[in-house]
Amino acid sequence: MVTDTFDTVEKQASYGIGYQMGEQLRTNPFDGMAVDAVVAGLRDAFAGEAQQVDNDTLREAFGEIHQRLQAAKAEASKAVIEEGNAFLSKNAEREEVNVTESGLQYEVLAEGEGNSPEADSTVRVHYHGTLLNDQVFDSSYERGQPAEFPVNGVIKGWTEALQMMKEGAKWRLYVPNELAYGEQGAGAAIAPYSTLVFDVELLDVLS
């Protein structure tokens, strides 16, 4: 659909540029972002007008906003860390849960009888990964296609667990953030410092 306001190719392309810029801003906003001020800055720059806010003031404003964003991120991360620690502490009390020296927790759902991989082995696995709220972020089962990868090419919790498993085994892993994606997180699905839960089925040791 094209409205009467954008009735030429030039207007349509111009609108598209603005819309894309808006999408970029929407994915990384800050509290109090004023769209009308963004538009004013765009218009002034495009027209070659003098800045209505001087550079020193802009630097101070950017610095203040950056500090606010960092503080908000730190507070959110603190809550995620506390949630993960509380979960792992309670989970470790269950008889069926094993805890390794590194802090990795695992539960044996099915014993295996085949070979165990080494750190430099390549394996074929099926897996299902969730956050602590049971939200699925990745699942080879749902895709209907096992994954193949080197044992030392995945997160630390997996590298440790796989070397203890035998072909045919299926374990449930409870992975502390430091053995998962840590402070970096992984994309939009896994926040920094997230504790993760995986069902991992070791199908084959390929090499």
Side-chain angles (χ1 to χ4, degrees):
M1 181 185 71
V2 179
T3 67
D4 293 340
T5 305
F6 309 110
D7 55 1
T8 68
V9 170
E10 292 79 9
K11 289 180 180 179
Q12 291 163 8
S14 298
Y15 176 81
I17 292 170
Y19 195 90
Q20 290 175 356
M21 292 174 64
E23 286 185 319
Q24 292 174 358
L25 291 174
R26 179 169 55 82
T27 60
N28 192 29
F30 57 84
D31 288 342
M33 178 179 285
V35 176
D36 55 344
V38 173
V39 174
L42 179 62
R43 285 175 173 163
D44 287 349
F46 190 79
E49 300 287 347
Q51 292 181 195
Q52 298 186 50
V53 181
D54 63 81
N55 286 330
D56 288 340
T57 303
L58 285 176
R59 276 193 293 270
E60 292 179 5
F62 286 140
E64 172 66 22
I65 294 301
H66 178 72
Q67 290 179 7
R68 292 181 190 176
L69 291 173
Q70 291 300 106
K73 182 179 179 181
E75 188 63 29
S77 296
K78 180 181 177 181
V80 173
I81 292 171
E82 291 177 349
E83 178 188 25
N85 289 341
F87 171 85
L88 292 169
S89 178
K90 184 175 181 179
N91 195 56
E93 297 175 358
R94 297 195 294 124
E95 290 186 6
E96 60 268 37
V97 173
N98 304 277
V99 184
T100 71
E101 185 175 345
S102 70
L104 175 69
Q105 299 182 5
Y106 68 92
E107 183 177 348
V108 178
L109 304 180
E111 297 283 1
E113 297 182 352
N115 297 319
S116 293
E118 298 180 356
D120 59 353
S121 298
T122 297
V123 295
R124 179 185 292 117
V125 303
H126 254 318
Y127 66 92
H128 185 77
T130 65
L131 305 177
L132 294 184
N133 63 3
D134 295 327
Q135 179 179 339
V136 179
F137 58 81
D138 194 11
S139 176
S140 69
Y141 287 109
E142 292 184 357
R143 290 193 298 274
Q145 178 65 46
E148 297 179 9
F149 47 75
V151 172
N152 58 10
V154 288
I155 60 174
K156 293 179 181 179
W158 272 50
T159 299
E160 179 181 355
L162 284 167
Q163 293 178 82
M164 296 188 291
M165 298 174 69
K166 295 181 181 297
E167 289 173 311
K170 185 174 182 179
W171 287 12
R172 180 163 294 153
L173 309 182
Y174 306 92
V175 187
N177 81 82
E178 63 270 21
L179 300 179
Y181 296 99
E183 64 179 348
Q184 299 301 319
I190 302 176
Y193 301 106
S194 292
T195 294
L196 305 177
V197 180
F198 292 94
D199 284 357
V200 179
E201 183 178 1
L202 178 56
L203 301 176
D204 299 291
V205 178
L206 301 176
S207 65

